[in-house]
Each structure stands twice: as C-alpha cells, then as structure tokens.
Amino acid sequence: MPPGTGDVQLSVSQNIPISGAVIVSTPQDIALTDAHKGAEMFRKVHVPVLGLVQNMSVFQCPKCKHKTHIFGADGARKLARTLDLDVLGDIPLHLNIRESSDNGQPIVFSQPESDEAKAYLRMAEEVVRRLPSPPE
C-alpha cells in the first residue's frame, strides 16, 4: 500500500485477511516517520509486522564504485530497533533497477545474477521465512 495510515489503509487491513505486513522505507527521517506510523497501525489491527526493508539504501557510482548514502544511512535499522523488528533487506538505489522495471522486466528476471537482483531475492527469502504456516 502507499504510505499512510488513512481510511483506505485501515479498511484494507481490517477487511482483508493479511498474513503479515512488510514496512518499506527509505532511510530518511520523513519517510521513517510514516513507516513508524504504518507499523503501529498494523499492530493495532493485529496484523503481524514481518520486518522492515530499507529501500534506496545506497547509491554506488557506476564509474568509480564510490558509495553514497543519498537518503541517509541506516535509518530503517534504527527504526527496526525502536520497534523491535528485523531489517529484512537493503535495496540499493541503482539505475538497472529503474530501467528494468520501466521495461516491464523486473531485475530478478532481466539480470538474475546481479547484486541488485540478489538483494531482492534475499529480502523475499526473509519475508517467506517469517510468514506463518498455512492452516492444514
């Protein structure tokens, strides 16, 4: 769902069976404020929060490989500690992710061996590992 804790988010979380929520945020303070509110909303409506994902965590220059934390560093990790949650993964800010998505070919399909695809796959494994077992 998009950021926020308004009527739409509340209605969906109360009326549709949800196995768990994953909070996705950039590491910047304003985004983390919304992420915190979202996690608390899910807890209030008894939806398990599986963890946090730090999106656009770092930019690596394609030429010199220097890493820059454009949106700040480790904001989701700090929030996870505050909320007693795990960080499920870090997704980098990378041109290949944007280009492949715009072309309708997610990075995990178009470049499955890339570091960017591996970041998504590690995160997905963490989400699946935390989901409750289906009822028998």
Side-chain angles (χ1 to χ4, degrees):
M1 290 189 280
T5 55
D7 291 340
V8 171
Q9 289 87 348
L10 195 55
S11 293
V12 167
S13 63
Q14 289 176 325
N15 294 304
I16 296 175
I18 301 174
S19 298
V22 174
I23 307 297
V24 180
S25 181
T26 58
Q28 69 195 84
D29 290 343
I30 191 73
L32 292 164
T33 299
D34 280 346
H36 191 191
K37 289 178 187 176
E40 292 299 330
M41 180 204 70
F42 282 118
R43 285 179 167 168
K44 285 180 185 171
V45 295
H46 308 289
V47 172
V49 179
L50 305 176
L52 277 81
V53 172
Q54 186 161 253
N55 194 25
M56 296 189 268
S57 59
V58 67
F59 172 76
Q60 183 175 359
C61 176
K63 296 199 186 313
C64 72
K65 305 299 182 201
H66 175 75
K67 292 183 178 182
T68 302
H69 295 92
I70 294 172
F71 296 105
D74 295 326
R77 281 180 169 52
K78 293 173 189 167
L79 179 59
R81 282 193 297 273
T82 299
L83 296 171
D84 194 27
L85 295 170
D86 294 326
V87 173
L88 305 176
D90 288 272
I91 304 299
L93 176 61
H94 200 283
L95 183 61
N96 290 346
I97 294 172
R98 199 265 311 152
E99 287 178 340
S100 64
S101 296
D102 285 352
N103 290 327
Q105 293 291 317
I107 196 87
V108 295
F109 294 113
S110 63
Q111 298 175 39
E113 296 303 316
S114 68
D115 289 341
E116 298 80 37
K118 289 175 183 174
Y120 277 102
L121 293 171
R122 281 191 303 270
M123 178 202 51
E125 288 171 359
E126 289 299 319
V127 169
V128 169
R129 197 167 67 77
R130 287 167 171 75
L131 284 170
S133 299
E136 300 273 331

